[in-house]
């Protein structure tokens, strides 16, 4: 019961901050713009698709639709979303330290573990809302704007997904993307427990992600051995939801590594937070 | 002879365990920050119903001890009880305690009411009626919908007090609540503390380095220097220990008075001031001096004892 009240408080605080709406406002503006642009360039895209598959298929109707538009947009934003999430996750502890409000909050008869849990869960709820909104906007608006139909995916040839199957694949892709973004928020929370200003955790989170991303994508033999153990290796694993057959083994192996990283970052953050002396 | 009924004197009713248990008691608390021993084996007992002044110069360890009570930092050694509940039980020790540590800080983008609501929700004291009553008590009801960033420092401090009263605490710990306020703000906060103590039946633990402030409102005190407890007791008992005090005499004829004081052997030091004469005298000799001055037809407008606590404080510091 007390945890629910604490989560309610944390959500109230998150949604009272302007920074929490930056990403939502940004997507509300840019996704329709991309969908409009996508529609304007349809004939060019269609021409490219038709020329690459004309010797295999006869295409009736348009190969571009809401599904392909949503897929196109997802490829675009998976590096931008972490930054927007880090703005909120990085502020969750450090922002309160900077304002001095943590001193007021922590004197109440509640355990540090409860405070920590409520902040983590509220951040994850925000992450879910963010990813859900992104999904709703890209897929929902995409389907309204460009219509449904079968979805063409280019992977080891051409894969045609029926619209009902495509929808399920999108839900799977959004789930794995959400888990990756939970990891991003966990990293931001980890940095947030260590410092007393909100800028540091945002920079720290992005620096770590970019660093791991670079190491995980370097085509050098020396890094090949460690790449499967780096979380950034799996940041684009949502794409596998559109493979045929879906490589569930790879997906869950990636998910396991992402989940273990979430546990590790949050575990260390909890230890830091429980031991932390609040001096300001 | 009429028959006399023998009665035994009625013994006072025994104190209940609640009355005997101190509001706050700490036992051998120590805390070290790297090379600095901030608290060294500090033990204090705060009587229930008192306004307890916790004194010490800046950096003496006052705020560190309060942060230990408030759960903001962990002591290296020792433990404490709040209204009989031990800190060894964890955060539940603070069920009946509330603290305003250092200056009051808020979610500045939220209103006074919203700030109250957020803290009240934690302990289930967030009804509109309760919040509005406290805002009214602290004179903030009319500004309850305004964002806190528009408040003056005095208003923020009052809102901090209102927040600390949200859980209906039996012990209220205040860490230098008048710091940063102008004289009017300081006066207001002092009045509110007295009002809260009287109306809400709350024991107040007040840390301050403003000796005059403590002297005005506290019934009991403890003094801390360099992390070590130097003295504690009721104000009355502590003042009994003071031999020489400084008093200021406001008289009609300063010249005659000065001549009179120089002749008497009651006074150890005389300092003429702009509108008064400051003298140092043994505490027990004050009535005799006033009698002699009256007999010498010196018109006295006021006799005010200044800085009793300051004298005591300084004497302790010199002894350290």
């Amino acid at each position: 019961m007390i945890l629910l009240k604490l989560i309610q408080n944390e959500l109230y605080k998150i949604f009272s901050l302007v920074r929490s709406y930056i990403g939502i406002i940004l997507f509300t503006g840019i996704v329709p713009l991309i969908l409009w642009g996508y529609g304007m360039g349809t004939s060019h895209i269609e021409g490219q698709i038709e020329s690459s598959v004309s010797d295999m298929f006869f295409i009736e109707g348009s190969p571009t639709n809401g599904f392909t538009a949503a897929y196109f947009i997802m490829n675009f934003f998976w590096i931008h979303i972490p930054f927007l999430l880090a703005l909120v996750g990085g502020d969750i502890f450090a922002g309160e330290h900077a304002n001095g409000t943590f001193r007021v909050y922590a004197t109440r008869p509640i355990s540090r573990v409860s405070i920590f849990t409520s902040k983590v869960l509220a951040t994850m709820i925000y992450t879910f809302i963010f990813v859900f909104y992104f999904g709703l906007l890209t897929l929902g608006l995409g389907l309204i704007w460009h219509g449904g139909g079968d979805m063409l995916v280019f992977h080891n040839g051409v894969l045609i997904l029926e619209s009902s199957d495509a929808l399920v694949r999108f839900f799977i892709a959004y789930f794995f993307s959400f888990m990756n973004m939970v990891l991003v928020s966990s990293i931001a929370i980890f940095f947030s427990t260590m410092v007393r200003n909100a800028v540091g955790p945002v920079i720290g989170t992005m620096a770590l992600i970019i660093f791991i991303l670079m190491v995980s994508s370097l085509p050098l033999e020396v890094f090949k051995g460690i790449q499967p153990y780096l979380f950034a290796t799996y940041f684009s694993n949502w794409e596998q939801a559109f493979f045929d057959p879906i490589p569930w083994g790879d997906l869950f192996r990636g998910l396991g590594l992402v989940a273990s990283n979430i546990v590790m970052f949050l575990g260390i953050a909890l230890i830091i937070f429980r031991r932390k002396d609040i001096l300001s | 002879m009429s028959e006399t009924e023998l009665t035994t004197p009625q013994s006072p009713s025994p104190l209940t365990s609640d009355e005997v248990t101190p509001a706050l008691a700490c036992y051998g608390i120590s805390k070290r920050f790297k090379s600095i021993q901030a608290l060294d084996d500090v033990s204090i007992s705060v009587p229930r119903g008192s306004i307890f002044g916790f004194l010490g110069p800046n950096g003496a360890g006052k705020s560190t001890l309060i942060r230990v009570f408030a759960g903001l930092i962990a002591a290296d050694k020792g433990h404490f009880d709040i209204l009989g509940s031990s800190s060894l039980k964890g955060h539940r020790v603070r069920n009946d305690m509330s603290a305003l540590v250092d200056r009051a800080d808020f979610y500045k983008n939220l209103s006074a009411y919203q700030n109250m609501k957020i803290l009240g929700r934690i302990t289930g004291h967030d009804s509109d009626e309760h919040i509005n009553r406290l805002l009214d008590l602290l004179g903030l009801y009319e500004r309850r919908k305004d964002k806190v960033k528009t408040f003056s420092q005095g208003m923020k401090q009052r809102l901090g007090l209102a927040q600390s009263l949200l859980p209906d605490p039996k012990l209220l710990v205040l860490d230098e609540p008048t710091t940063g306020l102008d004289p009017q703000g300081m006066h207001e906060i002092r009045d509110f503390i007295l009002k809260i103590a009287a109306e809400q039946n709350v024991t107040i633990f007040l840390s301050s380095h403003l000796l005059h402030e403590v002297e005005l409102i506290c019934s009991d005190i403890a003094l801390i220097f360099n992390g070590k407890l130097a003295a504690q007791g009721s104000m009355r008992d502590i003042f009994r220990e003071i031999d020489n005090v400084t008093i200021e005499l406001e008289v009609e004829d300063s010249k005659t008075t000065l001549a009179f004081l120089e002749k008497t052997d009651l006074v150890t030091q005389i300092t003429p001031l702009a509108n008064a004469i400051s003298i140092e005298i043994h505490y027990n000799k004050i009535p005799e001096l006033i009698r002699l001055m009256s007999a010498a037809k010196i018109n006295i407008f006021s006799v005010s004892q200044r800085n009793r606590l300051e004298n005591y404080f300084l004497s302790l510091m010199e002894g350290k």
Side-chain angles (χ1 to χ4, degrees):
Chain A
M1 191 64 186
I2 181 80
L3 190 61
L4 286 178
K5 288 181 176 182
L6 292 176
I7 293 170
Q8 192 184 352
N9 268 355
E10 293 308 324
L11 288 173
Y12 192 83
K13 285 186 262 180
I14 286 174
F15 286 104
S16 69
L17 292 171
V18 173
R19 68 174 62 198
S20 307
Y21 298 96
I22 292 175
I24 289 167
I25 293 167
L26 186 78
F27 285 134
T28 307
I30 205 155
V31 169
L33 193 70
I34 294 171
L35 286 172
W36 171 78
Y38 186 81
M40 296 300 282
T42 302
S43 55
H44 173 68
I45 296 167
E46 282 171 358
Q48 278 190 326
I49 292 172
E50 278 173 20
S51 66
S52 59
V53 298
S54 57
D55 52 339
M56 295 179 276
F57 301 102
F58 172 72
I59 295 173
E60 190 179 288
S62 172
T64 59
N65 55 31
F67 289 123
T68 50
Y71 185 81
F72 174 74
I73 294 173
M74 271 188 87
N75 266 299
F76 233 1
F77 282 120
W78 66 273
I79 194 68
H80 305 89
I81 293 176
F83 176 74
L84 297 166
L85 287 174
L87 283 177
V88 173
D91 188 62
I92 197 87
F93 287 97
E96 295 233 31
H97 269 299
N99 286 335
T101 45
F102 200 70
R103 180 167 28 82
V104 180
Y105 207 67
T107 57
R108 305 284 141 169
I110 37 173
S111 68
R112 293 262 180 114
V113 175
S114 298
I115 295 174
F116 182 85
T117 309
S118 65
K119 283 184 177 290
V120 167
L121 290 177
T123 309
M124 297 318 161
I125 290 169
Y126 175 81
T127 305
F128 175 78
I129 291 170
F130 197 94
V131 174
F132 180 81
Y133 182 73
F134 177 73
L136 191 74
L137 203 64
T138 51
L139 192 58
L141 200 61
L143 287 173
I144 292 168
W145 202 317
H146 296 292
D150 292 346
M151 179 184 174
L152 285 183
V153 180
F154 294 87
H155 174 252
N156 290 338
V158 180
L159 176 65
I160 302 167
L161 300 171
E162 285 182 19
S163 61
S164 58
D165 190 22
L167 201 60
V168 172
R169 305 279 186 135
F170 266 103
F171 287 137
I172 295 166
Y174 285 136
F175 169 74
F176 283 95
S177 300
F178 168 66
M179 290 308 293
N180 290 338
M181 293 309 115
V182 167
L183 173 56
V184 170
S185 293
S186 303
I187 296 169
I189 287 170
F190 162 72
F191 281 115
S192 190
T193 55
M194 292 203 294
V195 296
R196 291 189 178 137
N197 70 78
V199 181
V202 178
I203 295 170
T205 304
M206 290 315 294
L208 183 68
I209 289 172
I210 291 166
F211 175 75
I212 301 285
L213 202 60
M214 285 166 77
V215 175
S216 68
S217 58
L218 279 172
L220 298 172
E221 201 56 42
V222 69
F223 296 119
K224 291 278 185 224
I226 59 163
Q227 281 170 347
Y229 304 103
L230 301 175
F231 62 80
T233 305
Y234 304 95
F235 262 23
S236 56
N237 64 349
W238 61 269
E239 287 177 333
Q240 294 175 325
F242 298 97
F243 292 177
D244 191 47
I246 296 173
W248 290 109
D250 288 351
L251 272 174
F252 281 109
R253 244 190 315 281
L255 184 66
L257 193 109
V258 167
S260 58
N261 271 277
I262 292 169
V263 171
M264 181 186 75
F265 280 111
L266 291 181
I268 298 169
L270 177 61
I271 291 167
I272 294 169
F273 181 66
R274 282 192 71 187
R275 291 181 178 175
K276 198 177 187 97
D277 284 342
I278 299 164
L279 300 171
S280 60
Chain B
M1 197 175 132
S2 64
E3 201 174 317
T4 311
E5 197 181 338
L6 292 171
T7 56
T8 51
Q10 209 172 9
S11 57
S13 59
L15 292 171
T16 64
S17 62
D18 269 4
E19 287 166 321
V20 173
T21 313
L24 173 65
C26 66
Y27 309 98
I29 291 195
S30 298
K31 176 73 182 176
R32 175 178 277 276
F33 295 111
K34 292 179 182 164
S35 63
I36 299 163
Q37 187 69 45
L39 294 171
D40 188 3
D41 199 25
V42 176
S43 297
I44 291 176
S45 181
V46 178
R48 284 204 185 196
S50 62
I51 301 181
F52 191 95
F54 187 43
L55 296 166
N58 288 330
K62 301 187 300 295
S63 291
T64 305
L65 187 61
I66 282 181
R67 280 164 197 268
V68 170
F69 296 151
L72 299 178
I73 58 177
D76 299 332
K77 256 171 61 185
H79 66 103
F80 58 94
D81 293 347
I82 294 173
L83 299 145
S85 175
S86 172
S87 62
L88 303 173
K89 287 181 189 170
H91 64 274
R92 286 183 192 86
V93 70
R94 295 191 297 280
N95 277 350
D96 290 317
M97 179 198 124
S98 197
L100 176 56
V101 184
D102 210 345
R103 68 187 186 282
D105 277 307
F106 306 94
Y107 304 103
K108 294 176 185 69
N109 54 327
L110 301 180
S111 69
Y113 176 85
Q114 287 167 323
N115 270 282
M116 292 283 281
K117 191 85 177 171
I118 279 182
L119 279 196
R121 200 177 277 140
I122 298 172
T123 49
H125 295 85
D126 60 336
S127 72
D128 287 356
E129 189 192 349
H130 185 56
I131 290 172
N132 287 335
R133 187 180 66 78
L134 288 175
L135 287 173
D136 191 38
L137 179 75
L138 275 299
L140 293 167
Y141 181 75
E142 297 301 323
R143 298 287 305 271
R144 69 191 184 284
K145 289 180 182 168
D146 294 350
K147 288 192 175 179
V148 175
K149 62 184 172 192
T150 65
F151 282 17
S152 68
Q153 193 55 39
M155 289 167 73
K156 284 180 186 169
Q157 213 57 9
R158 278 190 277 147
L159 182 58
L161 272 179
Q163 278 189 331
S164 60
L165 289 172
L166 270 167
D168 290 330
K170 291 179 183 149
L171 171 67
L172 181 58
V173 175
L174 303 172
D175 183 17
E176 310 208 359
T178 57
T179 301
L181 300 182
D182 58 20
Q184 191 196 341
M186 290 167 90
H187 183 76
E188 274 177 13
I189 294 293
R190 272 202 300 269
D191 282 353
F192 282 125
I193 290 169
L194 289 168
K195 192 174 170 182
I196 290 163
E199 290 178 11
Q200 313 272 321
N201 194 23
V202 178
T203 304
I204 293 176
F205 183 92
L206 171 75
S207 134
S208 181
H209 62 269
L210 302 174
L211 303 175
H212 179 60
E213 178 178 275
V214 170
E215 198 172 334
L216 282 174
I217 60 176
C218 293
S219 55
D220 298 76
I221 58 167
L223 287 100
I224 188 170
F225 293 110
N226 298 326
K228 287 185 179 172
L229 192 73
Q232 70 171 316
S234 74
M235 200 76 100
R236 191 177 297 172
D237 289 344
I238 279 178
F239 285 153
R240 267 196 210 121
E241 289 178 23
I242 303 171
D243 296 332
N244 278 1
V245 293
T246 305
I247 61 172
E248 282 176 16
L249 298 166
E250 198 184 339
V251 291
E252 189 177 44
D253 184 351
S254 299
K255 218 173 190 176
T256 313
T257 308
L258 279 169
F260 171 83
L261 291 170
E262 274 160 15
K263 270 187 237 162
T264 178
D265 57 356
L266 297 175
V267 178
T268 52
Q269 196 178 332
I270 305 164
T271 314
L273 305 172
N275 300 307
I277 299 166
S278 171
I279 61 169
E280 200 177 293
I281 184 170
H282 194 282
Y283 184 70
N284 295 334
K285 305 278 185 189
I286 296 171
E288 191 185 342
L289 177 71
I290 293 168
R291 267 198 307 275
L292 288 173
M293 287 175 76
S294 297
K297 296 205 168 18
I298 294 171
N299 290 330
I300 308 167
F301 295 124
S302 73
V303 179
S304 52
Q305 196 175 322
R306 297 268 185 223
N307 308 325
R308 266 194 308 182
L309 200 52
E310 190 174 299
N311 285 344
Y312 179 68
F313 189 84
L314 292 172
S315 69
L316 275 178
M317 281 193 82
E318 282 161 13
K320 289 281 145 189

